Amino acid sequence: MPYDSIKVIAFDADDTLWVNEPLFRDAEKRFCELMQDYLPSEACQERLFAVEMKNLPLYGYGIKPFVLSLIEAAITLSEGTVPLSVIQQLMDIGKEMLQAPVAVLEGIEPTLKALAPHYELVMATKGDLLDQERKLEKSGLASYFHHIEIVSDKTEAQYHKLVTQLDIRPEEFLMVGNSVKSDILPVLAIGAFAFHIPFHTTWAHEEVKEPVEHPNFQLLSNATQLKTILSQE
Amino acid sequence: MPYDSIKVIAFDADDTLWVNEPLFRDAEKRFCELMQDYLPSEACQERLFAVEMKNLPLYGYGIKPFVLSLIEAAITLSEGTVPLSVIQQLMDIGKEMLQAPVAVLEGIEPTLKALAPHYELVMATKGDLLDQERKLEKSGLASYFHHIEIVSDKTEAQYHKLVTQLDIRPEEFLMVGNSVKSDILPVLAIGAFAFHIPFHTTWAHEEVKEPVEHPNFQLLSNATQLKTILSQE
């Protein structure tokens, strides 16, 4: 069996275990509505994305960096004329996002349940630790995971470190996630397995256009297929 | 020897390895100067602290939560009348903090160098992962550490998890840090060792008044003493 060597399965969290990206897309939409006196929606989205990309190396990933970028963009795009009440609303949007209910994706729970007795399951995410712990708790999935791995970015070097820390060889590691850029390509590069489960919404920063072809790769349409592929039905 | 069982030494980062709290105290001072038209400095500091404490469960620890609390406090304390330029200045203070040079505390480097061949050294912090990785890199201390452990809060349960993850028994674990509340008490409670190196400035949230008395505890005046106590001079 091609996957017999796998001992640890790491799951990405946002948009792999539960819905996340739509929360950001919705917040961006609300932001651009608040900015409609200053610029049209499409230009607003582009300029906000540019602010986020500029801040990414300094702020990192997650809701708090996003809110700080919203505030910065509001001041810049309005040329310093936006009312303070808008800043307050952006802060409120951030708090709402941090407290949003967690919608677990279809098929995830039964799949984790089937895999947990046979593999060490970990959650590997580049989000914010406190926020991801809170979501894992709310999701009701915590008991299936051995532990959470938070990385500041999902690069080859970080996956190397993760595998070393788990004390396994790359061919004993499988990553499952929705981002080709973060969850698939760097994992294949270190000689591990990577299965892609696309989510309907992908952040522009995470988009990779070319299809992946690699013996250690599989494209799945949902989490339930994992059980079949790994013969754990 | 009482400390012969120790295999892993975990160091807190902020104000144990390098200067941190003064950056926050300085930012608070600048914040209250910006707020001086609305309320006197002492009241400002108290009300800011109250906003930070209210937000702590939702935002967690670190510079980004702090900046969000500064912005919220500016809006609230000015009753929605603070100029937008002040919000911009608070954002700038945050970016300055994130990019501040790292001042390694005296005695740390030679101590880590002496201990590294004999123990597994880890950095255990509740700060923000990206920010702590950046500081570790800037500090020049990265090569002494086996890995970084980020916890969302330093509780008994989190130390239990850490020890389990490190695959050691509590009596094989020593924590070194400047906060009695975060680095000492919960560590002693799980049966591990904890050495306190006080720093001259402590955040009100971390203050514990009673002196600690425990067979697994030591109060040190600086990091260099670690070498003597652990007989690694």
Side-chain angles (χ1 to χ4, degrees):
Chain A
M1 294 292 290
Y3 305 121
D4 275 0
S5 60
I6 295 167
K7 289 183 180 171
V8 177
I9 307 178
F11 286 83
D12 169 57
D14 292 338
D15 302 317
T16 298
L17 299 177
W18 47 66
V19 174
N20 176 66
E21 205 48 35
L23 287 181
F24 283 84
R25 290 296 84 76
D26 180 56
E28 281 171 17
K29 215 178 125 210
R30 289 166 70 188
F31 171 77
C32 290
E33 280 163 16
L34 289 167
M35 289 290 110
Q36 63 189 4
D37 290 350
Y38 309 102
L39 76 176
S41 174
E42 200 174 316
C44 169
Q45 299 222 8
E46 272 172 32
R47 299 217 20 213
L48 172 60
F49 184 69
V51 170
E52 285 183 79
M53 285 308 100
K54 175 176 71 75
N55 288 334
L56 189 58
L58 191 60
Y59 285 163
Y61 298 93
I63 295 172
K64 287 168 277 181
F66 177 67
V67 178
L68 289 170
S69 287
L70 288 182
I71 295 170
E72 179 177 328
I75 297 175
T76 313
L77 302 189
S78 72
E79 292 174 1
T81 62
V82 74
L84 205 55
S85 62
V86 168
I87 305 295
Q88 181 62 59
Q89 284 177 75
L90 299 177
M91 303 277 293
D92 293 343
I93 287 174
K95 288 192 175 181
E96 274 174 45
M97 289 175 79
L98 287 168
Q99 294 173 91
V102 172
V104 175
L105 289 167
E106 216 187 309
I108 284 292
E109 209 270 338
T111 302
L112 295 176
K113 196 173 183 168
L115 299 177
H118 308 285
Y119 300 93
E120 181 176 322
L121 305 184
V122 306
M123 185 176 118
T125 160
K126 61 185 176 188
D128 173 272
L129 176 60
L130 178 66
D131 194 30
Q132 296 294 14
E133 280 184 348
R134 185 187 292 126
K135 286 192 273 188
L136 183 59
E137 215 44 64
K138 280 191 200 168
S139 73
L141 304 172
S143 65
Y144 299 117
F145 289 98
H146 185 264
H147 68 278
I148 306 183
E149 285 291 340
I150 302 278
V151 293
S152 53
D153 207 354
K154 283 178 164 172
T155 58
E156 253 184 80
Q158 293 278 7
Y159 280 110
H160 249 304
K161 247 169 82 178
L162 174 55
V163 165
T164 308
Q165 222 166 289
L166 290 165
D167 207 15
I168 54 171
R169 287 170 298 131
E171 61 270 30
E172 296 172 331
F173 182 77
L174 163 63
M175 180 75 203
V176 178
N178 72 300
S179 165
V180 172
K181 182 182 172 187
S182 296
D183 304 318
I184 307 300
L185 299 180
V187 176
L188 296 174
I190 68 158
F193 293 91
F195 293 175
H196 184 212
I197 311 179
F199 185 68
H200 57 79
T201 312
T202 305
W203 187 26
H205 175 63
E206 296 290 327
E207 275 181 5
V208 173
K209 299 292 173 201
E210 311 82 59
V212 180
E213 283 193 37
H214 192 286
N216 286 2
F217 173 78
Q218 288 250 17
L219 174 64
L220 315 185
S221 55
N222 58 64
T224 310
Q225 286 180 282
L226 266 176
K227 294 192 286 181
T228 319
I229 292 168
L230 299 171
S231 321
Q232 301 295 352
E233 294 201 82
Chain B
M1 294 291 292
Y3 305 119
D4 274 0
S5 60
I6 295 167
K7 288 184 181 169
V8 177
I9 306 178
F11 286 82
D12 169 57
D14 291 337
D15 302 318
T16 298
L17 299 178
W18 48 67
V19 174
N20 176 65
E21 205 48 35
L23 288 180
F24 283 84
R25 289 298 82 75
D26 180 57
E28 281 170 19
K29 216 179 123 208
R30 288 166 70 188
F31 172 76
C32 289
E33 281 164 13
L34 290 167
M35 288 290 110
Q36 64 188 4
D37 290 350
Y38 309 102
L39 78 176
S41 173
E42 200 173 317
C44 169
Q45 300 222 5
E46 272 170 32
R47 300 217 21 214
L48 172 61
F49 184 69
V51 170
E52 286 183 77
M53 286 307 101
K54 175 176 72 72
N55 287 335
L56 190 58
L58 192 61
Y59 285 163
Y61 297 93
I63 295 172
K64 286 168 278 182
F66 177 67
V67 177
L68 289 170
S69 287
L70 287 182
I71 295 170
E72 180 176 328
I75 298 174
T76 313
L77 302 189
S78 72
E79 292 171 2
T81 63
V82 75
L84 204 56
S85 62
V86 168
I87 305 296
Q88 181 61 59
Q89 285 178 74
L90 298 177
M91 303 277 294
D92 293 342
I93 287 174
K95 289 193 175 180
E96 274 173 45
M97 289 175 80
L98 287 168
Q99 294 174 91
V102 172
V104 175
L105 289 167
E106 215 187 310
I108 284 294
E109 208 271 337
T111 302
L112 295 176
K113 194 171 182 168
L115 299 177
H118 309 284
Y119 300 92
E120 182 177 322
L121 305 184
V122 306
M123 185 175 118
T125 161
K126 60 184 176 190
D128 173 273
L129 176 59
L130 178 65
D131 194 30
Q132 296 295 14
E133 281 185 346
R134 186 186 292 127
K135 286 192 273 187
L136 183 57
E137 214 44 64
K138 280 191 200 169
S139 73
L141 303 172
S143 66
Y144 299 117
F145 290 98
H146 185 263
H147 68 279
I148 305 184
E149 284 291 341
I150 302 277
V151 295
S152 55
D153 207 356
K154 283 178 163 171
T155 58
E156 253 184 80
Q158 292 277 9
Y159 280 110
H160 250 305
K161 247 170 80 179
L162 175 55
V163 165
T164 308
Q165 222 165 290
L166 290 165
D167 207 16
I168 55 172
R169 288 170 295 130
E171 61 270 31
E172 297 172 330
F173 182 77
L174 163 62
M175 179 74 201
V176 178
N178 72 301
S179 165
V180 171
K181 182 180 172 191
S182 297
D183 305 317
I184 308 300
L185 299 179
V187 176
L188 295 174
I190 68 158
F193 293 91
F195 294 174
H196 183 211
I197 310 179
F199 185 68
H200 58 79
T201 311
T202 306
W203 188 28
H205 175 63
E206 295 291 327
E207 274 182 5
V208 172
K209 299 290 175 202
E210 311 83 60
V212 180
E213 283 192 36
H214 192 288
N216 286 2
F217 173 78
Q218 289 251 16
L219 175 63
L220 315 185
S221 54
N222 57 64
T224 311
Q225 285 181 282
L226 266 176
K227 294 194 285 181
T228 319
I229 293 167
L230 300 171
S231 322
Q232 301 295 353
E233 293 201 85

